[in-house]
Amino acid sequence: SQTIHQWPATLVQPVGSPLSLECTVEGTSNPNLYWYRQAAGRGLQLLFYSVGIGQISSEVPQNLSASRPQDRQFILSSKKLLLSDSGFYLCAWSRGTEQYFGPGTRLTVT
Amino acid sequence: KQEVTQIPAALSVPEGENLVLNCSFTDSAIYNLQWFRQDPGKGLTSLLLIQSSQREQTSGRLNASLDKSSGRSTLYIAASQPGDSATYLCAVPGTGFQKLVFGTGTRLLVSP
């Protein structure tokens, strides 16, 4: 069966510090991968998606970036965090029309 | 641009009640609709995926219906339990490759 992992589970970072969130998927190959952000009181916002290694599409202009160094690994990064980057970050994968989500990372920027 | 709305935003019911959550979308040219559950501080769990060719999809006490022409879906929960307390989200594909557009969710509280 397929599983999706995210780490860390929670993170508190000061403004201006770098960020690296990791997502890995097990039990499938060549999945589509997604990064979403859920800010307090707001809906899920798609940030990035990838259909293959090294292929990244950005949905929202921001100070975040994503990379896919391996088939089942998706990384969300920032060089300098802003207060507005605080939120709940969710990674998801799909091979067909249904998406499956990871447990999420709670990021608080102070 | 596809937009998804969920009503009500919050719902509080006593245990045992049957309830209906609503989801509406602006562009009826969808090929499926997905219902998710999210517990506080957790990721999303897929509940039901209903294809555009289907009118209903059932899983246990959950039943999702889809009316593409009117741009609506409902999630029916029978005999609600305190363990059903969570936020329920619906999502439909947006423009582009398998991207989902989410509603803002309905926060459900079932009291014992």
Side-chain angles (χ1 to χ4, degrees), chain A residues 1-13:
Chain A
S1 63
Q2 299 86 10
T3 55
I4 179 168
H5 304 279
Q6 286 187 245
W7 63 88
T10 60
L11 191 60
V12 180
Q13 292 283 90

Side-chain angles (χ1 to χ4, degrees), chain B residues 13-98:
Chain B
V13 300
E15 182 177 8
E17 276 202 10
N18 302 324
L19 53 97
V20 174
L21 307 182
N22 297 293
C23 171
S24 61
F25 42 94
T26 53
D27 185 350
S28 62
I30 61 170
Y31 56 84
N32 63 44
L33 182 144
Q34 200 167 352
W35 280 95
F36 294 88
R37 168 187 172 136
Q38 185 177 27
D39 293 289
K42 304 293 184 182
L44 275 66
T45 301
S46 179
L47 296 174
L48 291 164
L49 174 71
I50 182 165
Q51 302 291 351
S52 61
S53 58
Q54 297 175 306
R55 286 196 172 269
E56 287 189 355
Q57 188 71 263
T58 298
S59 176
R61 294 182 293 109
L62 304 179
N63 177 276
S65 67
L66 177 62
D67 184 345
K68 276 186 59 178
S69 61
S70 66
R72 293 178 183 176
S73 176
T74 60
L75 180 67
Y76 176 82
I77 303 178
S80 59
Q81 302 172 358
D84 295 329
S85 299
T87 297
Y88 291 81
L89 297 147
C90 67
V92 297
T95 55
F97 191 80
Q98 296 182 347

Side-chain angles (χ1 to χ4, degrees), chain A residues 6-11 21 88-89 103-107, chain B residues 41:
Chain A
Q6 286 187 245
W7 63 88
T10 60
L11 191 60
L21 303 181
F88 192 50
Y89 288 81
T105 294
R106 172 74 59 190
L107 172 66

Side-chain angles (χ1 to χ4, degrees), chain A residues 16-107:
Chain A
S17 63
L19 173 74
S20 181
L21 303 181
E22 190 166 343
C23 170
T24 59
V25 181
E26 296 177 353
T28 187
S29 59
N30 196 30
N32 297 322
L33 296 173
Y34 308 82
W35 278 112
Y36 291 87
R37 177 170 59 201
Q38 190 175 37
R42 301 180 64 180
L44 275 159
Q45 180 185 41
L46 178 64
L47 301 176
F48 301 94
Y49 69 96
S50 171
V51 299
I53 296 174
Q55 301 178 62
I56 309 295
S57 295
S58 173
E59 288 293 298
V60 180
Q62 59 215 329
N63 69 320
L64 299 172
S65 62
S67 62
R68 185 171 177 173
Q70 301 180 39
D71 181 45
R72 291 169 290 174
Q73 185 184 30
F74 206 22
I75 296 172
L76 183 69
S77 304
S78 174
K79 293 182 179 178
K80 289 186 178 181
L81 284 168
L82 307 173
L83 284 174
S84 59
D85 291 323
S86 292
F88 192 50
Y89 288 81
L90 288 158
C91 180
W93 73 273
S94 72
R95 285 208 65 190
T97 55
E98 194 165 359
Q99 288 193 15
Y100 303 91
F101 284 77
T105 294
R106 172 74 59 190
L107 172 66

